[in-house]
Amino acid sequence: MGIYLVSISASEWSGEDENDDEDDEEGTGYGPRAAALNDALRARGLPPFTSLPEEAPFVRGSGLAFEEKLVPPMDGFVALCEDHLSPAEADLLCGWTLLVPISLDEEIRLPVASAYTDETMVAGAPQVLALAERLAEAVGLPSAVPATSDNLELTTWFRDGAAKDLAATRPGPWADDLDAAFYVAVYLRAAQFVLRRGSPVAYS
C-alpha cells in the first residue's frame, strides 16, 4: 500500500493494456486522460502527445523506468517550497498529478479522474525541472543521490541508511531534513526522467 510515482508506457497510455492503472478508483485507466490531454493541447494550438516509448525489460539502473514510493511526511518539503518558491511556483511543483515531456506555459486541468483526485492536473517537465533544480541548489543536494529510479532507488537510499551515512560526512541543508531532501530528489529525478525518456509520470 502507499502512494507511488510511476512511469507510463505507450500501451498503458493508449489504453491497450487492460491492466493499466488498476489502482485508479474510477477504473478509467490512462486512455481517457490521454484523449483529454490531446484535446486540450489541440485547443492550445499544440500537437497531440502520441510519441511514447514502450515498456522496456527491467534492468536496475538503466533509467528506462521510474518508480518511487512517497513514504516520508511532506511538512519539511512544503516549508522549503514556501521559503524558496512563490505560491504559484510551489503549486506548479507540487500540484500536478501527471507530468509530461511537453513545455507548458501553465498547467492543464483535465476533467478526468486520476488515481487520487477527481481531475487530472498536467504539468510540463521543463517547468517542473527548473523549480526542482532551484530547490536542489538551495539545499545542496549531493551528487551521490541516485540518478535513476527504476525500482525505488531513491526511496531505498533515503530510508535504508545510505542518506544518513552520507549526511554524517557531508553535512549541509540537505542533511538537516532528509525527508524534505527526499522529495526534492524525487521531483528532480522525475522531471529529468520524463525529459530523458519521453515517458509521462503519474501517481498510482
Side-chain angles (χ1 to χ4, degrees):
M1 299 296 291
I3 298 176
Y4 288 82
L5 199 57
V6 300
S7 53
I8 306 167
S9 69
S11 58
E12 291 172 324
W13 184 245
S14 66
E16 294 175 4
D17 185 342
E18 294 181 353
N19 295 318
D20 78 318
D21 202 20
E22 60 185 10
D23 290 331
D24 188 333
E25 293 181 359
E26 299 298 324
T28 58
Y30 292 111
R33 279 174 266 183
L37 175 59
N38 284 337
D39 288 343
L41 291 173
R42 292 188 185 96
R44 290 163 172 77
L46 298 172
F49 177 45
T50 56
S51 180
L52 287 77
E54 282 294 355
E55 184 176 357
F58 174 71
V59 178
R60 185 179 294 279
S62 68
L64 298 179
F66 190 97
E67 180 184 13
E68 293 294 347
K69 187 174 183 180
L70 308 187
V71 178
M74 295 189 73
D75 296 1
F77 179 69
V78 171
L80 182 68
C81 291
E82 291 174 348
D83 288 342
H84 295 281
L85 303 176
S86 70
E89 290 171 334
D91 286 344
L92 173 61
L93 180 63
C94 304
W96 57 267
T97 57
L98 177 65
L99 189 64
V100 295
I102 303 170
S103 183
L104 299 173
D105 292 337
E106 59 183 13
E107 301 132 302
I108 296 177
R109 190 184 302 270
L110 304 177
V112 181
S114 57
Y116 299 97
T117 60
D118 293 333
E119 60 184 9
T120 297
M121 186 67 74
V122 184
Q127 287 73 28
V128 169
L129 177 61
L131 298 175
E133 286 177 335
R134 282 168 53 186
L135 294 185
E137 182 177 358
V139 302
L141 195 70
S143 59
V145 171
T148 58
S149 297
D150 302 271
N151 186 26
L152 308 179
E153 277 88 346
L154 290 174
T155 303
T156 301
W157 194 81
F158 275 94
R159 302 296 290 181
D160 289 358
K164 291 181 180 179
D165 292 342
L166 183 62
T169 60
R170 289 278 307 277
W174 81 276
D176 295 337
D177 188 337
L178 291 179
D179 289 344
F182 167 77
Y183 284 105
V184 172
V186 165
Y187 283 104
L188 178 68
R189 298 304 189 216
Q192 290 172 337
F193 167 83
V194 170
L195 291 174
R196 181 181 68 250
R197 179 72 170 147
S199 172
V201 164
Y203 293 93
S204 175

